[in-house]
Amino acid sequence: MLFKNISDAVNKLNMLKDIYMSMHIVNPVNKKIIYKFGGSYSCNINKCYQFWHCSKMCDNCISVRALNEKLTTVKIVDYSNNIYTVTAMPIIIKHEKFVLELIQNINSSIVSGTYVQNYDAGVIMSSIAKYVDKLLVVDQLTNLYNRRFIDERLPAMLNDAENTKVPLSIIFADIDFFKKINDTYGHVAGDNVLKETASILKKNIRKSSGFVSRYGGEEFLICLTNIDYADAQNIAERMRVAIMKNKFKIDKSIVSVTCSFGVYTVKDQGYYLTTQKIISLADDNLYKAKSTGRNKVV
């Protein structure tokens, strides 16, 4: 949907405000609400996630997804014993990309069945909402965040880092000779190595500092906010040593596993870089670690 300016968008979309309990236009990168339509709620909110009384961006953020995929996206949210639908619709206002978020409480619309004893539609929908939220952004094997989460979360973290002028560090990790593990011991053993490596990586960062994700295959991406270059290198080195010293049990054998790491930190004039470029720069350092002997941090 294309609009000449914010007034044009408000005038043409205003008719929807009586249908939805909450409706606002959002900047999908910094999550800031640029216009809030009238509705049945009176919260004084600035960030879209504050509607849910959260202090951080939702893990399963559909406004970024709607923008990236240029497609209206819907999700179900379980919040405060109520079930909501959130619809994110990409729009363009004077050549700038935004998202129209439409929120509706659907508790009264859920139909309870009578064929199954003790059937509670609200409870079922709550379970489905939680399951789907996790399914979309979590890697099922390692229980780390997945590639979709990286693509949706990293731009917002970069924007926050620029606004607050704090460093943002990316650590790219790759298990050395992983194909040999699969070829020698089988893919089930390889999966177990991936899961155990993921657990070690998670143990070596504070959850409040950032996140650990599976980028793909045997590659992992760690994103750390307000962590400078020296600290990021120390964290990567701590991870490297922990993996090297870990005793990976495969059948009756103890297998040694090592990991290579590439570190890149964004600060000062680096905030203008795209997230793809930042990941590429960390990957370049990972390549240097792999090509100069492996089991090291570059």
Side-chain angles (χ1 to χ4, degrees):
M1 299 179 71
L2 179 64
F3 302 98
K4 297 176 183 177
N5 48 48
I6 188 67
S7 297
D8 182 41
V10 171
N11 289 335
K12 291 178 179 176
L13 295 171
N14 205 45
M15 62 181 179
L16 297 174
K17 75 179 189 310
D18 294 328
I19 302 174
Y20 294 93
M21 68 168 291
S22 172
M23 177 174 162
H24 39 252
I25 298 172
V26 177
N27 181 318
V29 176
N30 62 22
K31 311 307 297 169
K32 187 175 180 180
I33 294 176
I34 66 164
Y35 187 85
K36 180 174 75 72
F37 292 80
S40 60
Y41 74 105
S42 58
C43 303
N44 182 23
I45 61 175
N46 181 261
K47 301 282 190 178
C48 58
Y49 51 74
Q50 290 176 324
F51 176 84
W52 311 106
H53 297 282
C54 291
S55 58
K56 63 176 185 176
M57 180 179 169
C58 306
D59 282 352
N60 178 21
C61 176
I62 64 167
S63 65
V64 175
R65 188 171 311 143
L67 187 78
N68 290 343
E69 298 178 5
K70 299 182 175 125
L71 187 69
T72 297
T73 309
V74 181
K75 76 171 179 178
I76 300 170
V77 175
D78 171 36
Y79 172 70
S80 190
N81 297 319
N82 285 287
I83 304 298
Y84 298 83
T85 58
V86 182
T87 303
M89 181 185 302
I91 61 175
I92 297 175
I93 302 176
K94 201 177 179 180
H95 310 298
E96 194 171 351
K97 296 177 181 178
F98 296 97
V99 170
L100 175 68
E101 288 192 346
L102 308 162
I103 301 172
Q104 184 63 290
N105 186 323
I106 62 168
N107 254 29
S108 59
S109 304
I110 299 174
V111 179
S112 296
T114 57
Y115 300 108
V116 181
Q117 191 174 8
N118 299 324
Y119 179 89
D120 188 320
V123 172
I124 296 296
M125 289 298 290
S126 173
S127 299
I128 291 173
K130 291 174 182 176
Y131 174 73
V132 172
D133 255 6
K134 182 177 180 181
L135 187 67
L136 287 172
V137 296
V138 173
D139 175 65
Q140 297 302 293
L141 175 65
T142 61
N143 208 33
L144 298 177
Y145 288 118
N146 61 17
R147 179 69 176 272
R148 165 173 265 175
F149 181 87
I150 298 169
D151 293 341
E152 294 175 358
R153 178 55 60 93
L154 195 51
M157 292 182 72
L158 178 62
N159 182 265
D160 288 345
E162 180 179 12
N163 289 337
T164 54
K165 302 305 176 188
V166 300
L168 179 71
S169 292
I170 301 295
I171 301 174
F172 227 142
D174 183 273
I175 299 175
D176 298 325
F177 303 110
F178 184 71
K179 184 177 183 300
K180 186 176 180 180
I181 295 172
N182 275 335
D183 291 345
T184 304
Y185 301 100
H187 289 277
V188 172
D191 286 349
N192 289 334
V193 169
L194 286 171
K195 288 189 283 188
E196 201 163 343
T197 301
S199 178
I200 293 170
L201 295 175
K202 283 183 73 173
K203 287 177 182 176
N204 278 278
I205 73 161
R206 295 192 307 272
K207 190 175 180 181
S208 59
S209 298
F211 65 83
V212 182
S213 57
R214 185 183 181 192
Y215 192 77
E218 66 273 24
E219 291 184 320
F220 302 90
L221 186 142
I222 301 99
C223 182
L224 304 169
T225 187
N226 202 15
I227 299 293
D228 64 22
Y229 192 49
D231 286 341
Q233 289 182 76
N234 290 336
I235 290 169
E237 178 64 17
R238 188 167 69 233
M239 291 173 169
R240 184 193 69 80
V241 172
I243 292 168
M244 183 180 65
K245 290 184 175 181
N246 188 66
K247 299 183 186 300
F248 290 84
K249 295 180 181 179
I250 299 178
D251 295 329
K252 296 180 181 180
S253 303
I254 301 296
V255 178
S256 296
V257 175
T258 61
C259 205
S260 300
F261 295 82
V263 180
Y264 187 81
T265 299
V266 182
K267 62 177 183 178
D268 299 330
Q269 303 303 313
Y271 297 116
Y272 70 90
L273 296 171
T274 64
T275 55
Q276 289 81 8
K277 182 60 178 177
I278 292 165
I279 290 174
S280 176
L281 290 167
D283 192 34
D284 288 345
N285 285 343
L286 172 62
Y287 176 78
K288 292 175 186 175
K290 301 288 279 188
S291 62
T292 55
R294 295 181 171 83
N295 189 26
K296 61 172 63 176
V297 176
V298 171

PDB file of all heavy atoms in Angstrom, residues 172-195:
ATOM      1  N   PHE A 172      31.503 -15.241  14.865  1.00  0.00           N
ATOM      2  CA  PHE A 172      31.130 -16.339  13.977  1.00  0.00           C
ATOM      3  C   PHE A 172      31.955 -17.557  14.389  1.00  0.00           C
ATOM      4  O   PHE A 172      33.179 -17.469  14.506  1.00  0.00           O
ATOM      5  CB  PHE A 172      31.449 -15.973  12.525  1.00  0.00           C
ATOM      6  CG  PHE A 172      30.338 -16.263  11.565  1.00  0.00           C
ATOM      7  CD1 PHE A 172      30.064 -15.396  10.525  1.00  0.00           C
ATOM      8  CD2 PHE A 172      29.581 -17.427  11.684  1.00  0.00           C
ATOM      9  CE1 PHE A 172      29.041 -15.647   9.613  1.00  0.00           C
ATOM     10  CE2 PHE A 172      28.557 -17.688  10.784  1.00  0.00           C
ATOM     11  CZ  PHE A 172      28.281 -16.810   9.755  1.00  0.00           C
ATOM     12  N   ALA A 173      31.303 -18.682  14.616  1.00  0.00           N
ATOM     13  CA  ALA A 173      31.989 -19.900  15.049  1.00  0.00           C
ATOM     14  C   ALA A 173      31.690 -21.044  14.096  1.00  0.00           C
ATOM     15  O   ALA A 173      30.572 -21.162  13.588  1.00  0.00           O
ATOM     16  CB  ALA A 173      31.555 -20.276  16.463  1.00  0.00           C
ATOM     17  N   ASP A 174      32.688 -21.877  13.860  1.00  0.00           N
ATOM     18  CA  ASP A 174      32.525 -23.017  12.959  1.00  0.00           C
ATOM     19  C   ASP A 174      33.281 -24.217  13.528  1.00  0.00           C
ATOM     20  O   ASP A 174      34.461 -24.109  13.864  1.00  0.00           O
ATOM     21  CB  ASP A 174      33.067 -22.651  11.574  1.00  0.00           C
ATOM     22  CG  ASP A 174      32.876 -23.763  10.557  1.00  0.00           C
ATOM     23  OD1 ASP A 174      33.761 -24.634  10.473  1.00  0.00           O
ATOM     24  OD2 ASP A 174      31.850 -23.776   9.860  1.00  0.00           O
ATOM     25  N   ILE A 175      32.599 -25.358  13.632  1.00  0.00           N
ATOM     26  CA  ILE A 175      33.235 -26.567  14.151  1.00  0.00           C
ATOM     27  C   ILE A 175      34.235 -27.080  13.124  1.00  0.00           C
ATOM     28  O   ILE A 175      33.903 -27.251  11.943  1.00  0.00           O
ATOM     29  CB  ILE A 175      32.196 -27.659  14.463  1.00  0.00           C
ATOM     30  CG1 ILE A 175      31.216 -27.168  15.530  1.00  0.00           C
ATOM     31  CG2 ILE A 175      32.883 -28.941  14.918  1.00  0.00           C
ATOM     32  CD1 ILE A 175      30.073 -28.131  15.812  1.00  0.00           C
ATOM     33  N   ASP A 176      35.456 -27.321  13.569  1.00  0.00           N
ATOM     34  CA  ASP A 176      36.518 -27.780  12.674  1.00  0.00           C
ATOM     35  C   ASP A 176      36.305 -29.241  12.261  1.00  0.00           C
ATOM     36  O   ASP A 176      35.948 -30.087  13.097  1.00  0.00           O
ATOM     37  CB  ASP A 176      37.884 -27.639  13.352  1.00  0.00           C
ATOM     38  CG  ASP A 176      38.221 -26.195  13.689  1.00  0.00           C
ATOM     39  OD1 ASP A 176      37.841 -25.301  12.905  1.00  0.00           O
ATOM     40  OD2 ASP A 176      38.860 -25.964  14.742  1.00  0.00           O
ATOM     41  N   PHE A 177      36.535 -29.531  10.990  1.00  0.00           N
ATOM     42  CA  PHE A 177      36.478 -30.897  10.448  1.00  0.00           C
ATOM     43  C   PHE A 177      35.167 -31.611  10.806  1.00  0.00           C
ATOM     44  O   PHE A 177      35.161 -32.812  11.114  1.00  0.00           O
ATOM     45  CB  PHE A 177      37.671 -31.724  10.960  1.00  0.00           C
ATOM     46  CG  PHE A 177      39.003 -31.123  10.628  1.00  0.00           C
ATOM     47  CD1 PHE A 177      39.810 -30.577  11.629  1.00  0.00           C
ATOM     48  CD2 PHE A 177      39.468 -31.066   9.312  1.00  0.00           C
ATOM     49  CE1 PHE A 177      41.035 -30.014  11.329  1.00  0.00           C
ATOM     50  CE2 PHE A 177      40.708 -30.499   9.004  1.00  0.00           C
ATOM     51  CZ  PHE A 177      41.483 -29.976  10.014  1.00  0.00           C
ATOM     52  N   PHE A 178      34.068 -30.870  10.753  1.00  0.00           N
ATOM     53  CA  PHE A 178      32.784 -31.481  11.150  1.00  0.00           C
ATOM     54  C   PHE A 178      32.363 -32.591  10.187  1.00  0.00           C
ATOM     55  O   PHE A 178      31.778 -33.596  10.595  1.00  0.00           O
ATOM     56  CB  PHE A 178      31.700 -30.406  11.220  1.00  0.00           C
ATOM     57  CG  PHE A 178      30.370 -30.923  11.711  1.00  0.00           C
ATOM     58  CD1 PHE A 178      30.204 -31.286  13.040  1.00  0.00           C
ATOM     59  CD2 PHE A 178      29.304 -31.075  10.838  1.00  0.00           C
ATOM     60  CE1 PHE A 178      28.992 -31.771  13.494  1.00  0.00           C
ATOM     61  CE2 PHE A 178      28.090 -31.559  11.285  1.00  0.00           C
ATOM     62  CZ  PHE A 178      27.930 -31.916  12.621  1.00  0.00           C
ATOM     63  N   LYS A 179      32.679 -32.440   8.911  1.00  0.00           N
ATOM     64  CA  LYS A 179      32.321 -33.469   7.933  1.00  0.00           C
ATOM     65  C   LYS A 179      32.984 -34.805   8.293  1.00  0.00           C
ATOM     66  O   LYS A 179      32.383 -35.884   8.127  1.00  0.00           O
ATOM     67  CB  LYS A 179      32.740 -33.040   6.535  1.00  0.00           C
ATOM     68  CG  LYS A 179      32.323 -34.009   5.426  1.00  0.00           C
ATOM     69  CD  LYS A 179      32.714 -33.495   4.060  1.00  0.00           C
ATOM     70  CE  LYS A 179      32.228 -34.432   2.956  1.00  0.00           C
ATOM     71  NZ  LYS A 179      32.781 -35.789   3.085  1.00  0.00           N
ATOM     72  N   LYS A 180      34.201 -34.734   8.811  1.00  0.00           N
ATOM     73  CA  LYS A 180      34.911 -35.945   9.199  1.00  0.00           C
ATOM     74  C   LYS A 180      34.193 -36.652  10.352  1.00  0.00           C
ATOM     75  O   LYS A 180      34.151 -37.889  10.406  1.00  0.00           O
ATOM     76  CB  LYS A 180      36.347 -35.597   9.603  1.00  0.00           C
ATOM     77  CG  LYS A 180      37.210 -36.805   9.889  1.00  0.00           C
ATOM     78  CD  LYS A 180      38.648 -36.392  10.198  1.00  0.00           C
ATOM     79  CE  LYS A 180      39.509 -37.623  10.492  1.00  0.00           C
ATOM     80  NZ  LYS A 180      40.917 -37.247  10.798  1.00  0.00           N
ATOM     81  N   ILE A 181      33.623 -35.866  11.268  1.00  0.00           N
ATOM     82  CA  ILE A 181      32.860 -36.457  12.377  1.00  0.00           C
ATOM     83  C   ILE A 181      31.646 -37.204  11.831  1.00  0.00           C
ATOM     84  O   ILE A 181      31.376 -38.350  12.220  1.00  0.00           O
ATOM     85  CB  ILE A 181      32.418 -35.360  13.371  1.00  0.00           C
ATOM     86  CG1 ILE A 181      33.626 -34.717  14.039  1.00  0.00           C
ATOM     87  CG2 ILE A 181      31.465 -35.937  14.429  1.00  0.00           C
ATOM     88  CD1 ILE A 181      33.298 -33.509  14.889  1.00  0.00           C
ATOM     89  N   ASN A 182      30.920 -36.567  10.912  1.00  0.00           N
ATOM     90  CA  ASN A 182      29.760 -37.214  10.297  1.00  0.00           C
ATOM     91  C   ASN A 182      30.155 -38.468   9.526  1.00  0.00           C
ATOM     92  O   ASN A 182      29.498 -39.511   9.621  1.00  0.00           O
ATOM     93  CB  ASN A 182      29.048 -36.239   9.346  1.00  0.00           C
ATOM     94  CG  ASN A 182      28.060 -35.330  10.068  1.00  0.00           C
ATOM     95  OD1 ASN A 182      27.554 -35.668  11.131  1.00  0.00           O
ATOM     96  ND2 ASN A 182      27.800 -34.176   9.486  1.00  0.00           N
ATOM     97  N   ASP A 183      31.241 -38.365   8.756  1.00  0.00           N
ATOM     98  CA  ASP A 183      31.665 -39.502   7.930  1.00  0.00           C
ATOM     99  C   ASP A 183      32.167 -40.667   8.774  1.00  0.00           C
ATOM    100  O   ASP A 183      31.972 -41.836   8.413  1.00  0.00           O
ATOM    101  CB  ASP A 183      32.771 -39.063   6.960  1.00  0.00           C
ATOM    102  CG  ASP A 183      32.266 -38.108   5.885  1.00  0.00           C
ATOM    103  OD1 ASP A 183      31.038 -38.009   5.716  1.00  0.00           O
ATOM    104  OD2 ASP A 183      33.105 -37.448   5.240  1.00  0.00           O
ATOM    105  N   THR A 184      32.805 -40.357   9.899  1.00  0.00           N
ATOM    106  CA  THR A 184      33.395 -41.406  10.738  1.00  0.00           C
ATOM    107  C   THR A 184      32.385 -42.034  11.677  1.00  0.00           C
ATOM    108  O   THR A 184      32.331 -43.263  11.830  1.00  0.00           O
ATOM    109  CB  THR A 184      34.565 -40.836  11.563  1.00  0.00           C
ATOM    110  OG1 THR A 184      35.519 -40.234  10.685  1.00  0.00           O
ATOM    111  CG2 THR A 184      35.246 -41.936  12.380  1.00  0.00           C
ATOM    112  N   TYR A 185      31.550 -41.201  12.305  1.00  0.00           N
ATOM    113  CA  TYR A 185      30.668 -41.697  13.362  1.00  0.00           C
ATOM    114  C   TYR A 185      29.187 -41.683  12.989  1.00  0.00           C
ATOM    115  O   TYR A 185      28.364 -42.234  13.726  1.00  0.00           O
ATOM    116  CB  TYR A 185      30.877 -40.869  14.639  1.00  0.00           C
ATOM    117  CG  TYR A 185      32.286 -40.911  15.162  1.00  0.00           C
ATOM    118  CD1 TYR A 185      33.167 -39.857  14.915  1.00  0.00           C
ATOM    119  CD2 TYR A 185      32.751 -42.004  15.891  1.00  0.00           C
ATOM    120  CE1 TYR A 185      34.473 -39.888  15.389  1.00  0.00           C
ATOM    121  CE2 TYR A 185      34.060 -42.043  16.383  1.00  0.00           C
ATOM    122  CZ  TYR A 185      34.913 -40.983  16.120  1.00  0.00           C
ATOM    123  OH  TYR A 185      36.201 -41.018  16.589  1.00  0.00           O
ATOM    124  N   GLY A 186      28.831 -41.047  11.896  1.00  0.00           N
ATOM    125  CA  GLY A 186      27.438 -40.989  11.475  1.00  0.00           C
ATOM    126  C   GLY A 186      26.782 -39.669  11.830  1.00  0.00           C
ATOM    127  O   GLY A 186      27.280 -38.903  12.668  1.00  0.00           O
ATOM    128  N   HIS A 187      25.645 -39.396  11.203  1.00  0.00           N
ATOM    129  CA  HIS A 187      24.975 -38.108  11.368  1.00  0.00           C
ATOM    130  C   HIS A 187      24.314 -37.943  12.737  1.00  0.00           C
ATOM    131  O   HIS A 187      24.173 -36.823  13.226  1.00  0.00           O
ATOM    132  CB  HIS A 187      23.936 -37.912  10.252  1.00  0.00           C
ATOM    133  CG  HIS A 187      24.562 -37.671   8.912  1.00  0.00           C
ATOM    134  ND1 HIS A 187      24.998 -36.435   8.507  1.00  0.00           N
ATOM    135  CD2 HIS A 187      24.856 -38.517   7.891  1.00  0.00           C
ATOM    136  CE1 HIS A 187      25.520 -36.513   7.292  1.00  0.00           C
ATOM    137  NE2 HIS A 187      25.451 -37.768   6.899  1.00  0.00           N
ATOM    138  N   VAL A 188      23.929 -39.044  13.358  1.00  0.00           N
ATOM    139  CA  VAL A 188      23.353 -38.933  14.707  1.00  0.00           C
ATOM    140  C   VAL A 188      24.421 -38.430  15.677  1.00  0.00           C
ATOM    141  O   VAL A 188      24.162 -37.547  16.511  1.00  0.00           O
ATOM    142  CB  VAL A 188      22.789 -40.287  15.177  1.00  0.00           C
ATOM    143  CG1 VAL A 188      22.368 -40.206  16.641  1.00  0.00           C
ATOM    144  CG2 VAL A 188      21.601 -40.704  14.313  1.00  0.00           C
ATOM    145  N   ALA A 189      25.618 -38.973  15.551  1.00  0.00           N
ATOM    146  CA  ALA A 189      26.735 -38.505  16.385  1.00  0.00           C
ATOM    147  C   ALA A 189      27.043 -37.039  16.083  1.00  0.00           C
ATOM    148  O   ALA A 189      27.303 -36.239  16.991  1.00  0.00           O
ATOM    149  CB  ALA A 189      27.968 -39.366  16.135  1.00  0.00           C
ATOM    150  N   GLY A 190      26.998 -36.688  14.792  1.00  0.00           N
ATOM    151  CA  GLY A 190      27.228 -35.291  14.413  1.00  0.00           C
ATOM    152  C   GLY A 190      26.201 -34.371  15.021  1.00  0.00           C
ATOM    153  O   GLY A 190      26.532 -33.273  15.499  1.00  0.00           O
ATOM    154  N   ASP A 191      24.940 -34.798  15.040  1.00  0.00           N
ATOM    155  CA  ASP A 191      23.879 -33.998  15.661  1.00  0.00           C
ATOM    156  C   ASP A 191      24.143 -33.802  17.144  1.00  0.00           C
ATOM    157  O   ASP A 191      23.913 -32.712  17.697  1.00  0.00           O
ATOM    158  CB  ASP A 191      22.514 -34.669  15.464  1.00  0.00           C
ATOM    159  CG  ASP A 191      21.992 -34.541  14.041  1.00  0.00           C
ATOM    160  OD1 ASP A 191      22.581 -33.760  13.265  1.00  0.00           O
ATOM    161  OD2 ASP A 191      21.003 -35.206  13.716  1.00  0.00           O
ATOM    162  N   ASN A 192      24.620 -34.843  17.800  1.00  0.00           N
ATOM    163  CA  ASN A 192      24.918 -34.735  19.240  1.00  0.00           C
ATOM    164  C   ASN A 192      26.061 -33.765  19.500  1.00  0.00           C
ATOM    165  O   ASN A 192      26.046 -33.024  20.492  1.00  0.00           O
ATOM    166  CB  ASN A 192      25.248 -36.114  19.811  1.00  0.00           C
ATOM    167  CG  ASN A 192      24.027 -37.016  19.891  1.00  0.00           C
ATOM    168  OD1 ASN A 192      22.901 -36.528  19.991  1.00  0.00           O
ATOM    169  ND2 ASN A 192      24.235 -38.315  19.845  1.00  0.00           N
ATOM    170  N   VAL A 193      27.039 -33.755  18.617  1.00  0.00           N
ATOM    171  CA  VAL A 193      28.144 -32.789  18.739  1.00  0.00           C
ATOM    172  C   VAL A 193      27.627 -31.364  18.558  1.00  0.00           C
ATOM    173  O   VAL A 193      28.015 -30.447  19.302  1.00  0.00           O
ATOM    174  CB  VAL A 193      29.253 -33.095  17.709  1.00  0.00           C
ATOM    175  CG1 VAL A 193      30.270 -31.945  17.641  1.00  0.00           C
ATOM    176  CG2 VAL A 193      29.963 -34.387  18.064  1.00  0.00           C
ATOM    177  N   LEU A 194      26.737 -31.166  17.606  1.00  0.00           N
ATOM    178  CA  LEU A 194      26.138 -29.847  17.397  1.00  0.00           C
ATOM    179  C   LEU A 194      25.386 -29.384  18.636  1.00  0.00           C
ATOM    180  O   LEU A 194      25.517 -28.228  19.075  1.00  0.00           O
ATOM    181  CB  LEU A 194      25.187 -29.884  16.199  1.00  0.00           C
ATOM    182  CG  LEU A 194      25.815 -29.934  14.809  1.00  0.00           C
ATOM    183  CD1 LEU A 194      24.747 -30.192  13.757  1.00  0.00           C
ATOM    184  CD2 LEU A 194      26.554 -28.634  14.502  1.00  0.00           C
ATOM    185  N   LYS A 195      24.586 -30.271  19.220  1.00  0.00           N
ATOM    186  CA  LYS A 195      23.797 -29.908  20.406  1.00  0.00           C
ATOM    187  C   LYS A 195      24.695 -29.584  21.598  1.00  0.00           C
ATOM    188  O   LYS A 195      24.439 -28.622  22.331  1.00  0.00           O
ATOM    189  CB  LYS A 195      22.829 -31.050  20.753  1.00  0.00           C
ATOM    190  CG  LYS A 195      21.677 -31.184  19.776  1.00  0.00           C
ATOM    191  CD  LYS A 195      20.616 -32.158  20.256  1.00  0.00           C
ATOM    192  CE  LYS A 195      21.045 -33.586  20.065  1.00  0.00           C
ATOM    193  NZ  LYS A 195      19.945 -34.539  20.356  1.00  0.00           N
TER     194      LYS A 195
END
